[in-house]
Amino acid sequence: MLNFVPSFGKETLRTTAVTPQFEQHMDYVDFIHLNVLEKKVLNNSEVSVQYLCSKPCIINLEAVASSEFRTGVPVYRRRWKDEKNLYISRTRKVHLKFPSIMVYRDDYIIRNSIIVHSVIVYAWLSHKSVSSYDVEQNEDYQDAVAKNYTFLEAVPPFERPYKDHKVCLQWGADYLWMLQANRIPQCPHESDGVQILNFIYASSGEKTGIMKKFEQFENRELETVRQHQIDYPMFTVSIWLYLLHHCEKDLCGILYFIDPKEMYSTPAVFLNEEGYVHIQMHLMRGDDLAVKTSFSLPLKQWFRLDLSFKGGQVEVSTVGKNLKRHHHQSFTFREDFYYDDTAGYFVLGGSGYVNGIEAFFGPVKYYRLNVLETEQISNPLHDKETVEQIELYYERCMDIQEIVYEYRYIVRQGEKALRNCYYENYYLELIYKYGEKSKCDAFMWGKELREKYHTLFKLLQEMDFSAPDVLEDGSDTVLEVGRRIFEKVAKGLSSADGLSNMGSSVPLLVDSSCCGYHKASYFLAVIFETGLGVSVDHTKGLLYSLVGAQGNERLAVMNLGYKHYQGINNYPLDLELSYAYYSNIAIKTSLDQHTIKGEQAFVETIRLMDDELLKAQTKENGDVFMWLKHEATRGNAAAQQRLAQMLFWGQQGVAKNPEAAIEWYAKGAIETEDPVLIYDYAIVLFKGQGVKKNTKLALELMKKAAAKGLPQAVNGLGWYYHNFKRDYRKAAEHWLIAEELGNPDASYNLGVLYLDGIYPGVPGRNQTVAARYFYKAAQGGHIEGTLRCSLYYITGNMEDFPRDPEKAVIWAKHIAEKNGYLGHVIRKALNAYLELSWHEALLHYVLAAETGIEVSQSNLAHICEERPDLARKYLATDCVWRYYNFSVSQVNAPSFAYLKMGDFYYYGYQNQSKDLELSMRMYAQAALEGDSQGFFNLALVIEEGNSIPSYILDHLEIDRALHSTNTSLLQELYYRCWNNSNQESISPCSLALLYFYMRVFWNNILQSTLIYFMGTFLLSILVAFAVQYFQALSAHNSPGTRSEPSSDEPSSSGNSNEDATRLVQQDESTFSNNLSQQQSNPQNPLVTS
């Protein structure tokens, strides 16, 4: 892609008139015009120069070219003098001769033609003396009597002709050249304009953001330009923002570049506490330079921030929705900036180095090679409906927050006045203490406002603002009101017929959301997204998802991360955006696990189809819990350990109770000498979780557990020496031992020593070795290690971790899905299901499923199959299809979900059409998961006359060459089916395999030579019987013939016997034949018995 300089109007005339000295020629003015027939940079381009001289003059013609290497290089010069033709307009044609590398293609001799950006042809005349003609006149253009210039358009290298060099090449060289002469390299279609962000991003002000890395241009021309602009940056960035607050502390990140050494580079754009833009650049000499705008960025309105960098000049502008400029400021520096956008990565929002801004990012456009004016930037706000909804939401919320704050103030003032009276009257004091609480019935607000927010005013009247949980601080009061509204709505929705009241609950949830309680925001997002009791509204669903995520509601953040990871429900597939959301919750998951407060529960994979796991669920008064408690009381170490874990983490249906868990840890550590219990108790003593810190006792217990060979206890001793004693040598010694024992915590801790540069005997930081330890820890399931590796994969800044955004998302998602607040919602859904509270179970499973938790998606689909009436009544989406479909899109999908979707595609599901190939893909995936039913279903597909595509067989690792026939393929599938099923009992696969072998055996018999001979033998016997029958029939029916005994005496007994036997045979034969005739002809009167 070339940067052409536009030639507006084809010609630009810059003629300076000079007053003649001779009065008789006052009407003549010197001029010079240029006329180019074809305004392109071609060899022998013809230029027509028209001029008029009032004195003897010298005419100059010069062509100046600019390329990616240099600018303002003279490439052609021509001059001539005119002394005689005064006051006469003359025209002279000139053929421009340019260097070959500018006008011809690469060939065997011209190896590298240059990319020309522009060529300017200058023409001027001067009244110099003719005697000075031979003197150099390089700088007389500005002093010319008349001057003019025009632009020539550059021709791309591969559109230029070949040059006829008029030389003879050697035969070999000529042949090699002819082989590639007509092969025009196809440069990939690339533009320097890159859309960094297309969709709205909710930045919560945390240390997470969108990370983008740019590679070198594939287009040679663009890449050459980029490399030559490293020391003279020319780029433009355009960012749409809806800013909610200015930075609370120091600086907050808007857009900045991180180099391979993890340092800020050019550009680094931040927001400060006053709302001014802080811009930092990295200089060529190595240090940094920063400036600050004189204007601040507006709050709660959409605007576009445009920044352009051209060498040492920085332009900053803000533009409104109407694209009118609000502010503009320029900064000029004499220093050279360093800028290489491929040596590192960009960050939008926060990162590990700085918090992000509290805002919504709109589209972000980045022009890598060009400096554009505000009017030239193409970066529109695409989703205008959502943009307007965000503005309307915050306008409404400002009214609600103001009403709540003022109402609370009025009630408090009234209570304060009454309280002063109560101190003087004991009766009134008792009324205040035990009577009805104060209300504000006389509203100071107008009728219109009261009608608009009538549900809010009604709720405010019902609230007790004298309660201790309503603090003096106004913002906390507003949040507390939001919490109370939400809890009231959630309780109603969880009742027996709660979902039928969804229509009246939505306005209350909106009020709760506006008060800053963003659990309500996520409820609203799911309600509108799925049509839970209301009509589906994707715009409102997106609005409340964004609002909830910006307010740091964990489930709302995960919902957006999941939707962008899968690219579903009109959310664009964007792995970097998905990672920004998932990494936020992954970081919180690590912190939440160290916090015993809050509504958290351990995330367990419990499927509603697994009866064994469902039976194991219990409560504090359940049989399983009571039995464990009984065994723990008797001193059973395993029971004590399990009971303490259940209570500490809130597992298996037991409510989280850290205090009770610590009692069992202490009892087990003292009584049973179990190393795990000793270690767990030592940890809570070290950290003071639910118990007073006791470092001395904790150290004793940790050493005791380590002496018993417990790897995590050995790691714990290293942790003690690192954190409490700062003895890194002893810490490293213990961690090396623990790592050899397979402890992932030790691997991570060793990585930290290398990363911080404090590993004993190793000078400086070593990020490469640290990353290897982090990876080893991640392989062992370590949360922080996994987070570190996901960061390496998204940035691509580590040598051993090539950039892989998808892997980064998968690893961050894996950690985020362990979050305790999500586990609490899943536990509430499961408990409701076990108690047959269908409305509550449906509600909470929908909330969990929309965050992308696979087990909740398959469980919700199961509920919708089990209670189709409930799903049809309250969900506007097809619940079974939607959530089984979501389930099979996950990396950890269960095999039964693949089988379900395979059946849906095979038979057709409601409004969904049949798709045999998709069905086979689902069955194959179930088979790969080790499910025998998948192989069985694939075999049935073949039995019904269908064929399996070769890529599916390759996926199953079935060699098509070895199994070229359907019989061979069926045998392989049935065998794998039997091999993956329970071989100790009779299964459908074993019966199918037996039946298959019987069929093969029978078919082989039918096709054998034995059957051929047996058939021939039976046929000959039948023929013999038929001949004998017709002979006997003809003898019996002959006229005048009768049978008489022989007159000859028998000579011996043998002959007699033969005759008797023959007679008997004949009689039997006759009788048999007659009988057969009777049976075949029962109506024939000629036949008698």
Side-chain angles (χ1 to χ4, degrees), residues 232-280:
Y232 191 84
M234 295 179 64
F235 65 92
T236 304
V237 181
S238 175
I239 308 168
W240 279 102
L241 290 171
Y242 186 87
L243 200 59
L244 295 175
H245 305 284
H246 293 148
C247 191
E248 291 185 1
K249 184 180 179 182
D250 298 330
L251 298 175
C252 297
I254 298 177
L255 172 74
Y256 46 96
F257 191 79
I258 305 293
D259 68 12
K261 296 180 180 179
E262 298 296 319
M263 301 293 289
Y264 293 125
S265 188
T266 306
V269 184
F270 304 98
L271 183 71
N272 70 6
E273 297 174 348
E274 293 83 21
Y276 300 114
V277 182
H278 175 102
I279 306 169
Q280 182 173 309

Side-chain angles (χ1 to χ4, degrees), residues 22 199 242 337 376 456 564 769 904 987 1024:
F22 304 102
F199 203 72
Y242 186 87
F337 301 152
Q376 296 174 300
L456 176 63
H564 285 295
V769 176
F904 291 161
S987 65

Side-chain angles (χ1 to χ4, degrees), residues 833-847:
Y833 176 81
L834 295 173
E835 295 169 2
L836 301 181
S837 179
W838 295 104
H839 284 243
E840 186 178 5
L842 182 67
L843 172 64
H844 286 91
Y845 268 126
V846 170
L847 292 171

Side-chain angles (χ1 to χ4, degrees), residues 871-890:
R872 283 194 298 268
K873 184 175 181 181
Y874 294 113
L875 281 170
T877 55
D878 189 335
C879 174
V880 177
W881 175 269
R882 176 183 175 89
Y883 291 105
Y884 273 135
N885 214 348
F886 282 178
S887 176
V888 298
S889 300
Q890 305 270 26

